[in-house]
Amino acid sequence: MSENRNREGSLEAPTRHPIDWQSEDYWNKDSLNKELERVYDICHGCRRCVSLCDAFPTLFDLVDESETMEVDGVSTDDYHKVVEQCYLCDMCYMSKCPYVPPHEWNVDFPHLMLRAKAIHFKEQGASKRDSIITNTDMVAKMGTIPVVDVTINKLNKSEGFRKTLEKSFGVHHKAPLPEFSSNTLRKQAGKVIEPQRVEELGRTKGKVALFTSCYGNSYDAQTGLDLIKVFQHNNIQVELTPSEVCCGMPKLELGDLDAVHKAKQSNIAMLHDLVMRGYDLTSTIPSCVLMFKQEIPLMYPDDEQVQAVKEAFFDPFEYLFLRHKQGAFNTEFSKDLGDITYQVACHLRVQNIGLKTRDILSMIPNTQVHVQERCSGHDGTYAVKAESYDKSVKIARPVVRKVDQVKPAYHASDCPMASKQIVHLAESVDTASHPMTLLRMAYGLD
């Protein structure tokens, strides 16, 4: 066992330790800086993650420009410059770092960045802009008021207004922003939901409660409607959860763990009740799924309700593929889709379920799925901030180049914000599609 723990990049599955955010030491600034120095020194000696995001180039520049050209030459006052560039995509942990636990060096860079963000937020709070754009429930509630939604959408398409917004509020004038709609998913879902004959197969109960999410309800109702139609086409009963508040991911990335706790208190009791009533759970937003499958369980490892919700939560295409393995997935398609470029959302990759979206779409005849396993650079807020928009574009460029090389009929990502970012930058496509929408089209469903 000792030898395995010392082996760089071992074949063992990485271990994710609980987030010890309720301990006294977690909030100790000196303890944090000591751990940052330790991990930064390991990263400096490795540098495999330099191409993933701007956190690592920022760190390496600080080291290389210091007097010692080592981490001990970097001022602790500059440590947070690295933290500011991390948006918790987890790709360094999942795909690059050879020192993640169970390796004895125990490097979990994203959760160390989370700790640093949390202490920074506790000490200094957040800017007005960051507080507002991460308060997705409030923004969605205001933006879905009839007439207000149309007005905001029109203003967001005005170059003059957007440049004024950038100067006054710090939202980059070129960043694509989601469109509000007063005709929310909750208003429309009742028209398409139909009772199904429930059949439990393997791990799946055959009846699903859809966590609409603030984004899915207010900005992207069509994807939720498409999920309902596709699932019902596969004899899966779908209902919306009785309520929801934001899953907490935007506040997690801000380091506001008290707000994450508040969201957890609102959502978990409601979701646990559904689990006890025999429902599986899903959401169209990978970040929401990840919060309930990983981040909240790691924050509350001893909470039985949290763990029960974790076990019942599925990515939508993971769910369909599990039904397929039991012979219950409908493979009768009426439309070919041709070439699809598919960017795998980072928060989907972290779930360790494989490329189930690709596997399902590849079942459609005469359809080629060109997979891009690189980050879009969006993150939800990173790509809209004036100071990080250009960096997000740089991160997205490899995906954009591949998309323009393929010139696909459709570009898709499980993350609607990621797909909008790529389409915004690409020259060969002008519409961002969700894979569930493409599946609904392939079935020929209205």
Side-chain angles (χ1 to χ4, degrees):
M1 177 63 71
S2 169
E3 182 180 341
N4 287 339
R5 291 179 69 245
N6 286 306
R7 186 186 305 150
E8 179 180 304
S10 91
L11 296 179
E12 294 178 85
T15 301
R16 214 71 195 254
H17 297 306
I19 300 170
D20 194 23
W21 69 286
Q22 298 187 65
S23 73
E24 184 176 343
D25 184 65
Y26 187 90
W27 300 97
N28 185 292
K29 185 69 172 290
D30 291 335
S31 173
L32 168 68
N33 284 336
K34 183 177 179 180
E35 181 64 4
L36 285 171
E37 182 178 11
R38 184 187 77 86
V39 171
Y40 284 176
D41 190 54
I42 294 171
C43 294
H44 158 54
C46 176
R47 302 203 173 199
R48 297 186 188 191
C49 292
V50 67
S51 64
L52 289 181
C53 68
D54 212 57
F56 298 100
T58 299
L59 170 61
F60 304 147
D61 286 348
L62 286 171
V63 171
D64 295 344
E65 293 167 6
S66 72
E67 290 186 3
T68 65
M69 298 186 72
E70 298 290 344
V71 173
D72 62 10
V74 178
S75 169
T76 56
D77 292 338
D78 288 332
Y79 281 4
H80 198 72
K81 293 179 180 179
V82 179
V83 179
E84 290 175 326
Q85 300 307 317
C86 175
Y87 42 83
L88 306 183
C89 74
D90 261 16
M91 283 301 98
C92 56
Y93 187 95
M94 295 303 301
S95 67
K96 292 286 186 181
C97 184
Y99 306 118
V100 298
H103 191 282
E104 67 174 352
W105 288 359
N106 192 33
V107 174
D108 186 338
F109 191 88
H111 281 169
L112 178 58
M113 295 297 100
L114 172 63
R115 181 185 177 191
K117 289 173 183 285
I119 291 177
H120 185 268
F121 180 85
K122 188 173 185 179
E123 291 181 345
Q124 301 187 30
S127 68
K128 182 178 180 181
R129 177 202 61 190
D130 290 352
S131 297
I132 290 175
I133 65 176
T134 58
N135 191 345
T136 50
D137 287 321
M138 179 195 72
V139 174
K141 185 176 181 179
M142 292 177 57
T144 53
I145 298 173
V147 182
V148 173
D149 59 336
V150 177
T151 303
I152 293 176
N153 293 338
K154 186 174 182 179
L155 286 171
N156 282 339
K157 293 176 181 178
S158 164
E159 184 177 356
F161 174 78
R162 289 297 303 275
K163 287 185 176 180
T164 300
L165 186 66
E166 178 175 338
K167 290 179 181 178
S168 62
F169 194 59
V171 171
H172 199 282
H173 69 279
K174 290 185 178 180
L177 300 178
E179 292 191 4
F180 291 98
S181 175
S182 58
N183 194 18
T184 63
L185 176 58
R186 288 200 170 275
K187 289 181 181 179
Q188 298 184 65
K191 300 175 184 177
V192 298
I193 290 178
E194 299 174 353
Q196 304 294 312
R197 179 175 58 84
V198 176
E199 183 178 7
E200 184 172 348
L201 294 170
R203 291 174 55 202
T204 63
K205 300 288 196 304
K207 62 177 184 178
V208 171
L210 172 61
F211 183 82
T212 63
S213 77
C214 44
Y215 192 97
N217 185 50
S218 304
Y219 306 107
D220 192 25
Q222 187 59 53
T223 298
L225 296 172
D226 291 338
L227 181 145
I228 294 168
K229 293 174 184 178
V230 166
F231 272 43
Q232 290 180 165
H233 197 61
N234 284 276
N235 300 314
I236 302 167
Q237 180 177 324
V238 183
E239 297 179 20
L240 301 188
T241 57
S243 63
E244 75 284 317
V245 299
C246 176
C247 67
M249 180 62 80
K251 293 298 185 183
L252 186 82
E253 293 171 351
L254 190 63
D256 185 356
L257 299 190
D258 287 338
V260 176
H261 175 74
K262 185 177 180 181
K264 173 261 183 186
Q265 295 293 82
S266 296
N267 284 322
I268 292 297
M270 176 270 297
L271 293 173
H272 183 260
D273 178 65
L274 289 165
V275 173
M276 292 298 98
R277 289 163 51 197
Y279 283 89
D280 292 323
L281 306 169
T282 194
S283 176
T284 59
I285 309 297
S287 297
C288 296
V289 180
L290 183 66
M291 280 298 289
F292 293 113
K293 289 181 76 168
Q294 174 176 291
E295 303 299 345
I296 294 176
L298 287 175
M299 290 179 67
Y300 303 89
D302 300 321
D303 189 316
E304 293 183 0
Q305 289 192 356
V306 167
Q307 300 305 319
V309 169
K310 169 188 173 180
E311 294 302 318
F313 228 107
F314 296 86
D315 167 79
F317 281 89
E318 174 192 17
Y319 200 84
L320 292 174
F321 197 83
L322 288 170
R323 302 288 286 186
H324 170 66
K325 289 174 66 176
Q326 300 293 326
F329 178 66
N330 189 333
T331 56
E332 297 296 321
F333 299 102
S334 62
K335 180 180 179 180
D336 304 341
L337 297 180
D339 287 302
I340 301 170
T341 48
Y342 167 57
Q343 185 264 337
V344 190
C346 298
H347 284 169
L348 179 63
R349 295 173 66 186
V350 179
Q351 295 174 38
N352 283 319
I353 60 174
L355 301 182
K356 296 299 182 285
T357 301
R358 175 206 60 187
D359 295 342
I360 292 290
L361 293 180
S362 295
M363 296 179 191
I364 303 167
N366 300 315
T367 299
Q368 296 76 42
V369 183
H370 304 266
V371 177
Q372 305 299 324
E373 291 188 88
R374 294 206 52 155
C375 185
S376 72
H378 194 283
D379 163 61
T381 60
Y382 189 78
V384 306
K385 296 177 183 178
E387 68 271 22
S388 52
Y389 171 79
D390 289 338
K391 295 174 182 178
S392 81
V393 170
K394 181 180 178 180
I395 294 167
R397 282 296 176 196
V399 178
V400 174
R401 283 196 295 269
K402 291 292 186 181
V403 170
D404 284 338
Q405 286 173 9
V406 174
K407 295 181 173 61
Y410 304 97
H411 174 71
S413 175
D414 300 275
C415 174
M417 292 164 281
S419 58
K420 285 183 183 353
Q421 165 96 330
I422 300 303
V423 168
H424 169 67
L425 298 171
E427 297 179 355
S428 59
V429 287
D430 55 14
T431 302
S433 301
H434 194 282
M436 196 61 70
T437 300
L438 298 180
L439 189 55
R440 188 261 302 163
M441 292 167 54
Y443 277 136
L445 302 174
D446 293 333

